[in-house]
Amino acid sequence: EFSIGALGFAIVIGFVGSIAGHLWVGLVKLLHHAFSCLQGESNLRAAIVTSCAGAVHGIMGIAFPAALFWSQDQLQFALTRGCATWTLEPSQCEPFELPYLYGGMIPAWSMRASSGKPLTGPSMLALSGAKFLMIAVSETSGYVGGFIYPLAFA
């Protein structure tokens, strides 16, 4: 239902989207400059760039396991704050099982929900920032497919 409150919310969301767009452009320019300094005709330089990008993706994947997978799983993860189902009562939270993820490879300090403890707002912002960085690194480092594959599954 349309109301003044909904209009105000839309304005705030538009403002946040605009800020995110400006941050995206700045991050891509920064990373493009950093990676272009390393790129060249040499196979060694190409190996260094892709190794750096792979290391960023690996570190982000360990710290934020939910940032690794396909959109429908990530959307479910985000909407339920890391719980298998939506609940208003945090004590009823059962962690969302991420597909294709070997649990033994996730350190205790990684950002994930646990039984009775869904992800907090700052944790969800950190997760979105990690995905933001992963997409920018993929786009600027020259991975085959560029940004489209991680962006399509974000």
Side-chain angles (χ1 to χ4, degrees):
E1 183 175 311
F2 182 76
S3 67
I4 298 297
L7 181 62
F9 185 70
I11 290 170
V12 169
I13 293 298
F15 184 68
V16 169
S18 174
I19 291 172
H22 285 289
L23 288 173
W24 172 260
V25 169
L27 181 61
V28 168
K29 284 182 177 181
L30 177 73
L31 288 173
H32 180 71
H33 177 70
F35 284 131
S36 67
C37 290
L38 292 173
Q39 290 178 343
E41 298 298 319
S42 167
N43 287 338
L44 178 62
R45 286 185 175 185
I48 291 171
V49 168
T50 55
S51 296
C52 290
V56 168
H57 280 89
I59 291 167
M60 290 292 136
I62 290 171
F64 303 95
L68 291 175
F69 300 105
W70 294 281
S71 61
Q72 68 271 20
D73 297 325
Q74 290 177 342
L75 183 60
Q76 174 70 23
F77 187 90
L79 292 175
T80 61
R81 299 178 301 159
C83 302
T85 58
W86 172 254
T87 178
L88 289 174
E89 184 61 41
S91 63
Q92 296 175 351
C93 174
E94 288 301 319
F96 183 77
E97 292 295 324
L98 296 169
Y100 314 112
L101 185 65
Y102 176 63
M105 294 180 66
I106 304 172
W109 51 264
S110 68
M111 185 130 345
R112 60 188 172 166
S114 59
S115 293
K117 188 178 174 195
L119 291 177
T120 62
S123 298
M124 295 301 289
L125 284 174
L127 177 63
S128 64
K131 190 65 174 176
F132 203 72
L133 177 65
M134 290 170 76
I135 294 169
V137 166
S138 182
E139 179 180 350
T140 56
S141 65
Y143 271 119
V144 175
F147 71 95
I148 193 66
Y149 293 113
L151 186 60
F153 300 118

